[in-house]
């Protein structure tokens, strides 16, 4: 469904190099690494907000003309930014209706996924708790019927117990909606629990990639990758 082989950055500034990723429906790929590694820049590039400095992005085998967020959104690539970017004076329901491609049916579907959000549907988004705002940000992306969902730092500003409740929803979204997901996440252990594969990006370079369960079972290699050592990808 989605194939990326890109270097990304801003103008002449290269932030991350030679990132290769391929996703099919139902895939969840965790993009891991310390702050400043280039993870958000990569998501912004895939979402069309930035053109790749080198390489290409392909959807269904066709190269996508780079640098248009509207074009990528229409093709089914939807970004949940780390800022959440909600309309804070509008209610949760109004935020969803504004984005929904299928009207109330799409809204009802995401309320089924996030029941606590339904109970707060008529509350202004700015008055929701941090966890509820993150639910709303994801729900607003889902009512756009994404084929590829990009989630940037779902856990930012949230208590670990809330993150433990939210991250499994990513797995459900992939499995039940046949959506491919790229998840940028600092809670490494939790991300590896829901992902199929993982890529570690450090100082703009991919230092480790492979099946999530194998990375989870080899903390020594994972720690070395975070320190910048390039590790041979595990097989399996």
């Amino acid at each position: 469904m989605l194939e990326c082989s890109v270097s990304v950055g801003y103008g002449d500034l290269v932030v991350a190099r030679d990132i290769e990723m391929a996703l099919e429906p139902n895939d969840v790929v965790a993009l891991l690494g310390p702050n400043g590694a280039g993870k958000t820049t990569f998501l912004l590039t895939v979402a069309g907000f930035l053109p790749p400095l080198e390489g290409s992005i392909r959807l269904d085998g066709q190269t996508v003309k780079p640098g248009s967020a509207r074009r990528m959104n229409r093709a089914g690539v939807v970004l949940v930014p780390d800022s959440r970017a909600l309309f804070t004076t509008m209610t949760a329901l109004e935020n969803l209706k504004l984005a929904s491609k299928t009207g109330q049916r799409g809204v009802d579907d995401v309320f089924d996924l996030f029941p606590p959000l339904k109970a707060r549907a008529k509350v202004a988004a700015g008055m929701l708790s941090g966890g509820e705002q993150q639910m709303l940000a994801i729900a607003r992306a889902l009512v756009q019927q994404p084929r590829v969902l990009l989630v940037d730092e779902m856990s930012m500003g949230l208590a670990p117990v809330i993150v433990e409740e939210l991250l499994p929803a990513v797995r459900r979204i992939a499995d039940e909606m046949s959506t491919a997901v790229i998840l940028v996440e600092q809670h490494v252990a939790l991300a590896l629990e829901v992902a199929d594969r993982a890529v570690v990006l450090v100082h703009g370079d991919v230092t480790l990639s492979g099946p999530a369960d194998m990375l989870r079972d080899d903390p020594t290699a994972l720690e070395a990758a975070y320190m910048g050592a390039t590790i041979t990808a595990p097989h399996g």
Side-chain angles (χ1 to χ4, degrees):
M1 181 187 292
L2 174 72
E3 298 172 88
C4 304
S5 180
V6 293
S7 294
V8 301
Y10 305 87
D12 295 329
L13 176 64
V14 179
V15 174
R17 297 160 288 276
D18 303 322
I19 302 175
E20 296 189 4
M21 198 176 293
L23 291 91
E24 297 291 342
N26 308 104
D27 280 349
V28 178
V29 175
L31 182 58
L32 309 174
N35 291 334
K39 305 183 300 296
T40 293
T41 305
F42 173 71
L43 291 191
L44 290 172
T45 302
V46 175
F49 290 96
L50 295 171
L53 301 186
E54 294 181 358
S56 63
I57 298 170
R58 296 166 66 87
L59 284 169
D60 299 322
Q62 301 296 315
T63 300
V64 180
K65 187 177 180 180
S68 172
R70 178 175 294 183
R71 185 183 303 115
M72 294 302 286
N73 183 270
R74 287 177 175 172
V77 179
V78 180
L79 172 68
V80 180
D82 57 4
S83 65
R84 300 171 190 153
L86 301 172
F87 295 103
T88 56
T89 60
M90 298 172 63
T91 68
L93 181 59
E94 288 168 340
N95 270 270
L96 294 174
K97 285 186 173 180
L98 189 65
S100 180
K101 291 185 176 180
T102 58
Q104 188 62 41
R105 178 168 62 83
V107 173
D108 290 340
D109 287 343
V110 296
F111 280 156
D112 288 341
L113 183 64
F114 297 117
L117 196 58
K118 184 176 183 178
R120 305 278 281 167
K122 295 184 179 180
V123 176
M127 299 300 293
L128 298 175
S129 69
E132 290 166 345
Q133 287 185 357
Q134 189 59 272
M135 289 181 198
L136 179 56
I138 297 169
R140 189 180 61 180
L142 294 179
V143 297
Q144 298 174 60
Q145 298 184 306
R147 301 177 64 221
V148 179
L149 181 65
L150 312 174
V151 184
D152 194 7
E153 297 289 10
M154 175 187 286
S155 65
M156 182 171 289
L158 301 181
V161 65
I162 303 298
V163 180
E164 290 178 5
E165 294 176 359
L166 282 177
L167 271 176
V170 172
R171 184 73 260 169
R172 285 188 59 194
I173 289 165
D175 291 341
E176 297 177 9
M177 301 181 181
S178 296
T179 303
V181 181
I182 301 177
L183 173 69
V184 168
E185 182 52 56
Q186 292 294 342
H187 285 261
V188 175
L190 293 176
L192 293 176
E193 287 290 338
V194 302
D196 299 296
R197 303 189 307 281
V199 176
V200 179
L201 190 64
V202 178
H203 300 311
D205 294 309
V206 174
T207 58
L208 177 63
S209 64
D213 57 348
M214 290 193 173
L215 270 64
R216 188 172 62 244
D217 293 341
D218 193 351
T220 301
L222 192 59
E223 181 179 350
Y226 262 75
M227 295 301 292
T230 301
I231 310 298
T232 301
H235 299 285

